Amino acid sequence: MFAYIIRRLLLMIPTLLGIMVLNFLIVQAAPGGPIEQIVAKLQGNAVEATARVSGSSGGDTAGPGQNLRENNVANTAISSRYKGAQGVDPELILELEKQFGFDQPLHTRFIKMMGNYLRFDFGKSYFRDENVMDLVIAKMPVSVSLGIWTTLIVYLVSIPLGIRKAVRDGTPFDIWTSAAIIAGYAIPSFLFAVLLIVVFAGGRYLDWFPLRGIVSDNWQDLDWLARIGDYIWHMTLPITAMVIGGFASLTMLTKNSFMDEINKQYVLTARAKGLSENRVLYGHVFRNAMLIVIAGFPAAFIGILFTGSLLIEVIFSLDGMGLLGFEAAINRDYPVMFGTLYFFTLLGLIMNLIGDLMYVAVDPRIDFEARGT
């Protein structure tokens, strides 16, 4: 097993490199980069000043005309590279290129970036004047809270519920629970979040829960028991909104996996030997049926942790990774975009390896080394 782990760790290197190369090329080719963002702001701020200059009178008119022609010529190369840069001082554009490192060739920038990333040096945000790692660390508690608790609650509820539905397939319990989880799956999490706010967060009816943040402003002044209660108090509504739609797929997956195993010959043999139903289910069926459920755990955790909470963060005013990534994409904040992509891709690859190790933990008969993978 140790050799398999080493091979998987070595395989992460080209996989991570390929993902970074592909995303780097796509983002560089996309219009509206950071320089265009700054130029757009400058153009907007310069409208009033331009109107004042064009409305002025007196003086030599030949000078401004000649300067305008010279600027037009100088701006030709700039405007061909950056949309909307017409009329902006070329020296300013060159200064911005040097500041952002765009004066260097594409491959040089990528090699330098990856060299820094190997040391977990993700640079500084273009627009926040903060280190990317500091931003990630500051936003991480929100996303970790949402991701971990949502994943745990979904798994702790869905797996026993799926097993129960498989055992009582076709009964009224199976029918009404299926209707309930499908109804929950059909309701978008953001819409359910709005409903929770209206009902429980002072929107119209009850004012039981806070509307923003993961802790209160005086959290540091509370004792440890009060801190735990305050944290749970703040996270109840956001997590409830996120888990409501997460039960359906995992519950039905668990049910179908157990039903598939229950109908196999070894289960009939175990029952014929007089084993109890719990011994059959949890001693024999469980480890076989759980393999497909465990296979989806890493992807589910990563999805919930980093991509599934954007709207929830916005609705409940939670400043987490989802909101950070969205703002970075809108503003073309390349250090934040690529730094978080590198970090989360590496984490995702590690989670996939952990998923394989969980296979072995559930069923020791699995031997990845014997398969030569």
Side-chain angles (χ1 to χ4, degrees):
M1 192 64 187
F2 179 75
Y4 170 77
I5 295 175
I6 296 298
R7 287 198 300 270
R8 285 293 302 270
L9 291 175
L10 293 176
L11 184 61
M12 289 181 186
I13 298 175
T15 303
L16 181 61
L17 181 62
I19 293 174
M20 293 301 299
V21 169
L22 181 61
N23 283 272
F24 184 82
L25 294 176
I26 292 175
V27 171
Q28 297 296 325
I35 291 183
E36 283 93 334
Q37 297 284 331
I38 295 178
V39 166
K41 293 179 180 179
L42 291 175
Q43 295 282 22
N45 294 334
V47 171
E48 183 179 353
T50 302
R52 289 199 301 267
V53 171
S54 62
S56 63
S57 59
D60 186 6
T61 58
Q66 182 178 356
N67 292 336
L68 180 60
R69 287 192 297 271
E70 292 176 355
N71 287 337
N72 287 337
V73 173
N75 286 341
T76 301
I78 298 297
S79 60
S80 64
R81 296 201 305 269
Y82 303 109
K83 183 178 180 180
Q86 185 69 31
V88 179
D89 186 1
E91 294 296 329
L92 175 60
I93 299 297
L94 295 176
E95 183 179 346
L96 290 174
E97 287 183 335
K98 185 176 181 180
Q99 177 182 346
F100 293 141
F102 295 162
D103 57 333
Q104 301 176 358
L106 197 65
H107 66 279
T108 302
R109 285 155 42 201
F110 179 78
I111 294 174
K112 182 179 179 181
M113 181 186 74
M114 292 304 298
N116 292 332
Y117 284 5
L118 290 176
R119 304 190 303 270
F120 286 89
D121 178 10
F122 300 129
K124 181 176 290 187
S125 169
Y126 287 161
F127 303 104
R128 291 175 178 260
D129 196 29
E130 295 183 58
N131 289 328
V132 174
M133 182 58 73
D134 293 338
L135 283 172
V136 172
I137 294 175
K139 313 297 182 183
M140 188 67 74
V142 173
S143 298
V144 169
S145 296
L146 292 174
I148 289 180
W149 290 118
T150 300
T151 306
L152 286 178
I153 292 174
V154 168
Y155 269 76
L156 289 175
V157 172
S158 296
I159 291 177
L161 180 59
I163 296 174
R164 189 66 174 172
K165 286 173 64 64
V167 174
R168 303 182 62 179
D169 181 50
T171 64
F173 172 82
D174 179 42
I175 295 174
W176 72 258
T177 53
S178 295
I181 63 175
I182 291 176
Y185 183 75
I187 301 175
S189 59
F190 71 91
L191 187 61
F192 190 70
V194 174
L195 176 63
L196 291 176
I197 291 175
V198 172
V199 177
F200 297 107
R204 175 168 295 184
Y205 300 100
L206 304 174
D207 191 9
W208 289 354
F209 296 95
L211 189 57
R212 59 184 301 116
I214 61 174
V215 293
S216 301
D217 295 335
N218 63 336
W219 188 78
Q220 294 290 346
D221 302 328
L222 303 176
D223 58 74
W224 66 271
L225 187 60
R227 289 184 180 184
I228 295 175
D230 183 77
Y231 172 77
I232 296 175
W233 183 46
H234 280 77
M235 296 304 298
T236 298
L237 294 187
I239 292 175
T240 302
M242 291 190 65
V243 302
I244 191 65
F247 296 125
S249 57
L250 185 59
T251 300
M252 300 309 297
L253 178 63
T254 303
K255 175 189 174 182
N256 294 334
S257 298
F258 266 79
M259 289 187 63
D260 184 57
E261 294 294 326
I262 287 173
N263 295 324
K264 290 184 177 179
Q265 183 62 42
Y266 75 90
V267 176
L268 299 178
T269 303
R271 286 172 173 168
K273 291 181 177 180
L275 297 180
S276 65
E277 190 66 18
N278 287 337
R279 180 70 181 276
V280 172
L281 285 177
Y282 297 102
H284 296 274
V285 176
F286 183 82
R287 67 179 183 180
N288 294 323
M290 280 292 96
L291 290 178
I292 190 172
V293 176
I294 291 174
F297 176 81
F301 177 74
I302 294 296
I304 293 173
L305 186 58
F306 302 122
T307 62
S309 60
L310 172 59
L311 292 177
I312 299 300
E313 290 180 11
V314 173
I315 292 173
F316 289 98
S317 300
L318 302 174
D319 193 7
M321 293 302 306
L323 190 58
L324 176 65
F326 175 75
E327 292 176 349
I330 294 297
N331 296 325
R332 301 298 194 271
D333 198 344
Y334 290 169
V336 176
M337 293 173 61
F338 292 126
T340 53
L341 174 66
Y342 177 88
F343 179 77
F344 296 146
T345 301
L346 181 61
L347 181 60
L349 294 173
I350 294 174
M351 289 298 297
N352 287 331
L353 175 58
I354 293 175
D356 289 345
L357 299 180
M358 291 176 65
Y359 274 132
V360 180
V362 173
D363 191 349
R365 296 173 300 174
I366 296 178
D367 186 359
F368 289 105
E369 292 190 22
R371 296 171 55 192
T373 56

